[in-house]
Amino acid sequence: GRRGGRHDQGGAIFSASVLESLMSTVQTSLLLAEVYKGNDNIPAALTTLAKARDIQTRILARLKVASHPDLYRQQRQVAAKLAFTVASYFHHIRELEKASQYYNEALRHDESHEKALLALARLALGAGRQEQCEEKCEALLRINPANEEALLMLADLKLQKKEYDDATARFKNLLERRPNHYSALQKLILLLWRAGRLDESSHFLRLAESTSASTCLHAGLHFCKGLLARFKYEPQTALEEFNRARKDPEWGERAVMQMIRIYLSNDLDQEWDESGQKEVIDNTEALRACQALLRELDRPNKKPEVVVLECYAQMSTGAKGDIENAQRRLVELLNADREYIPAMLAMAHSHMLMKQTPKARNMLKPISKMPPNPLFVEEFERAYLMLADIYIGSKKFDLAQELCEKCVAQNKSCGRAWESLGLVFEKEQSYRDAAEHYETAWRLQNETSPSIGFKLAFNYLKAQRYIDAITVCHKVLAQYPQYPRMKKEILDRARQCIRVATDDQR
């Protein structure tokens, strides 16, 4: 009997030493895989990890029968780490199915593995599986309610589903805890703008300013202040704020892109008339500033969105050669990704400049049928509006109205959509309805757009709201004393109509 006992004891000792050696092999393999990955040798890294996974399976099998609950739990976490590492390498080389399979394996070993849940949420979002993404974010926030990326992702999803209150509530909670979380503040401003509640963002900007430790404000805060000013149609203030964030490593590139968009706004937010013409504006100064900023973003492997902005700057000269050059560059982008929305939209813009309206319409119609992508919200909006302009030009008012309403549903603060709806009603001679829609557009653009002011006053005149027409004329003429046709065609006529009405009453 004693010999049997010694054998059992020896067996246990043998198992323990073998076990330790196996565990140490797994740890070494993890380090070796990192080295391979650092040298861009992903196949070798994956082979090393595959062997380590086999060893880890044997370790877990031994520990399960040996009934070592603590060690077993700890080694399951090692197994989760192994599976997660394999998944991240597959993710890196864009083998997404395999990545997903191994992230799920990591969760089977450790259901509270935050990084695996987050990676699966990202994969689901990228593949358009929004329900699945939401589910993973919710699971992650149950484990860690302060996980910021999951919060941001979930709020974006709520935003797409037009669940504004839920989305804003999540950001507000995060910002009450951490007022200086500028990426959340940026999202909240964007969110409140689309919900038509931009005023609510001032409170959070004040909160961030008051808790900013240094007298010199953070670039992220300047960026957020610039964004708010841009949405309030205060371009000068916006440019000053973005300029203060321009040299920052984290916020600089974003700030420069926003500045370029402001300088190009006459081109990007252009309203096209029936013949595909656009209002001619002297943009020499803006173009010069824009080109200087684009040079700051000029580097090898340029981001496609930078190339698109360069194309708009090139096209804004209006020269046929420049437009054709831009078209060639856009074709290259579309060859790489047929459904790259910013390039499709810029291509439609180039066709409008070349007075090729049918070509532009054919470029825009597919965009209007796609599900909106949260990355390109502004581009989708501009595509709907350009197509609506084309439909108004061909008197297809019902189709134009449908697109403008789609735009407003996505962004209640979209002044251009309200303006186009006003135009639809004006063309149908419903002057009261037209005035109501122009009124919203005028208010959203801070009562600073002379062309909307003119249209509003004209429709007030037609709807026999003479006093309102005179009030708007005064507001426009105070800012633009020489604004053409305003005094003669509207102000004088409205006064004349009031005089006639008064004389009739006498």
Side-chain angles (χ1 to χ4, degrees):
R2 277 202 310 267
R3 269 176 61 202
R6 266 203 317 276
H7 173 74
D8 288 344
Q9 210 179 358
I13 291 163
F14 170 76
S15 297
S17 62
V18 168
L19 209 55
E20 259 176 46
S21 141
L22 292 176
M23 287 178 195
S24 126
T25 306
V26 169
Q27 292 305 323
T28 309
S29 302
L30 276 163
L31 292 170
L32 186 59
E34 273 299 304
V35 174
Y36 282 134
K37 185 183 180 244
N39 292 327
D40 266 344
N41 191 349
I42 299 287
L46 286 168
T47 308
T48 306
L49 290 170
K51 287 176 187 161
R53 269 180 72 250
D54 290 343
I55 296 171
Q56 192 64 23
T57 309
R58 280 162 56 202
I59 292 172
L60 288 175
R62 285 196 183 197
L63 286 175
K64 203 168 189 178
V65 292
S67 66
H68 282 295
D70 292 343
L71 194 53
Y72 182 63
R73 257 197 308 276
Q74 184 220 333
Q75 285 303 306
R76 283 200 70 180
Q77 286 182 333
V78 175
K81 184 182 178 181
L82 265 171
F84 178 80
T85 309
V86 173
S88 64
Y89 290 1
F90 276 123
H91 202 153
H92 181 72
I93 57 173
R94 311 293 301 153
E95 289 202 29
L96 304 182
E97 281 300 314
K98 282 185 178 166
S100 178
Q101 178 191 327
Y102 285 103
Y103 286 133
N104 278 308
E105 182 182 309
L107 284 175
R108 279 196 299 280
H109 288 299
D110 175 7
E111 58 192 26
S112 64
H113 198 297
E114 284 188 43
K115 288 181 175 175
L117 278 166
L118 193 57
L120 284 167
R122 285 192 201 122
L123 282 176
L125 186 66
R129 296 192 296 271
Q130 291 166 328
E131 293 298 317
Q132 206 177 329
C133 176
E134 206 168 312
E135 196 182 289
K136 294 285 182 267
C137 289
E138 295 280 15
L140 181 45
L141 290 167
R142 278 195 295 276
I143 298 162
N144 174 8
N147 187 299
E148 283 148 17
E149 192 175 341
L151 264 171
L152 297 179
M153 230 186 288
L154 194 56
D156 259 347
L157 292 169
K158 298 285 181 195
L159 179 61
Q160 285 169 63
K161 289 161 78 176
K162 317 225 167 24
E163 294 172 9
Y164 293 110
D165 290 340
D166 195 348
T168 50
R170 287 172 187 276
F171 279 118
K172 285 176 175 176
N173 290 342
L174 176 58
L175 287 163
E176 292 291 355
R177 284 201 316 272
R178 285 194 53 201
N180 305 113
H181 191 308
Y182 299 115
S183 51
L185 184 54
Q186 175 206 346
K187 289 264 186 200
L188 181 65
I189 293 169
L190 193 61
L191 196 60
L192 290 169
W193 178 57
R194 285 195 232 159
R197 289 159 36 192
L198 193 58
D199 296 345
E200 291 174 32
S201 57
S202 303
H203 162 71
F204 291 95
L205 273 167
R206 280 197 299 274
L207 200 61
E209 276 186 295
S210 64
T211 52
S212 188
S214 60
T215 44
C216 171
L217 295 181
H218 190 282
L221 184 54
H222 284 302
F223 183 91
C224 292
K225 290 172 83 171
L227 200 59
L228 181 62
R230 184 189 155 201
F231 291 155
K232 283 178 153 182
Y233 292 88
E234 296 168 357
Q236 207 42 53
T237 309
L239 285 169
E240 285 164 16
E241 291 294 349
F242 287 134
N243 194 44
R244 291 188 181 113
R246 196 173 117 215
K247 298 294 180 192
D248 185 75
E250 184 189 350
W251 293 91
E253 190 172 305
R254 278 179 269 187
V256 171
M257 304 269 274
Q258 289 287 346
M259 290 173 81
I260 292 168
R261 286 198 175 93
I262 293 171
Y263 284 123
L264 287 174
S265 61
N266 285 327
D267 298 275
L268 298 179
D269 303 324
Q270 186 59 58
E271 189 180 347
W272 302 87
D273 73 9
E274 287 86 327
S275 58
Q277 296 289 312
K278 66 171 193 157
E279 196 182 341
V280 178
I281 295 164
D282 178 25
N283 64 351
T284 327
E285 276 306 305
L287 190 56
R288 199 172 292 139
C290 183
Q291 283 163 340
L293 288 166
L294 281 165
R295 281 195 290 277
E296 290 185 19
L297 301 176
D298 196 11
R299 53 183 69 110
N301 302 326
K302 218 178 285 176
K303 288 182 177 174
E305 59 258 49
V306 175
V307 177
V308 170
L309 288 173
E310 286 178 345
C311 290
Y312 276 113
Q314 206 168 8
M315 291 190 281
S316 77
T317 64
K320 187 168 182 277
D322 285 338
I323 297 168
E324 286 170 347
N325 264 335
Q327 282 181 331
R328 277 192 287 277
R329 297 182 72 192
L330 292 166
V331 166
E332 282 173 26
L333 287 180
L334 289 167
N335 284 342
D337 179 355
R338 279 211 332 276
E339 290 190 347
Y340 183 53
I341 306 294
M344 291 172 79
L345 179 63
M347 190 60 103
H349 181 91
S350 76
H351 291 316
M352 290 300 276
L353 290 172
M354 301 284 256
K355 300 184 178 50
Q356 300 164 335
T357 310
K359 279 188 176 177
R361 188 183 57 232
N362 293 343
M363 205 80 201
L364 296 165
K365 272 168 91 171
I367 302 178
S368 72
K369 292 182 172 62
M370 289 178 193
N373 178 334
L375 293 174
F376 305 123
V377 175
E378 285 190 38
E379 284 80 2
F380 270 94
E381 251 171 56
R382 291 191 356 248
Y384 298 156
L385 291 167
M386 197 188 289
L387 190 53
D389 285 346
I390 293 171
Y391 284 144
I392 291 170
S394 52
K395 297 187 170 48
K396 294 179 179 165
F397 299 130
D398 51 341
L399 292 175
Q401 188 172 342
E402 200 179 298
L403 283 163
C404 292
E405 282 167 357
K406 201 171 175 177
C407 215
V408 167
Q410 202 174 289
N411 179 2
K412 291 183 172 61
S413 299
C414 181
R416 271 275 280 114
W418 291 100
E419 185 183 354
S420 295
L421 281 167
L423 186 57
V424 166
F425 287 114
E426 184 183 329
K427 298 273 184 193
E428 291 174 337
Q429 298 183 338
S430 316
Y431 299 114
R432 283 178 190 282
D433 290 331
E436 263 177 43
H437 286 82
Y438 282 134
E439 224 168 69
T440 306
W442 171 244
R443 180 176 51 75
L444 284 168
Q445 298 213 7
N446 235 350
E447 303 191 348
T448 56
S449 163
S451 60
I452 296 176
F454 182 88
K455 291 171 190 172
L456 175 58
F458 173 78
N459 281 276
Y460 277 155
L461 183 71
K462 287 288 203 180
Q464 300 179 343
R465 290 172 60 178
Y466 306 125
I467 305 247
D468 290 332
I470 291 170
T471 306
V472 173
C473 285
H474 283 315
K475 284 183 177 175
V476 172
L477 292 169
Q479 297 172 73
Y480 305 92
Q482 303 305 314
Y483 198 73
R485 298 164 44 210
M486 194 102 204
K487 186 177 180 304
K488 195 174 171 188
E489 288 184 27
I490 300 175
L491 187 60
D492 295 348
R493 277 171 65 190
R495 283 174 175 155
Q496 178 65 31
C497 291
I498 289 175
R499 275 197 290 275
V500 170
T502 315
D503 289 348
D504 286 353
Q505 280 165 8
R506 283 190 197 138

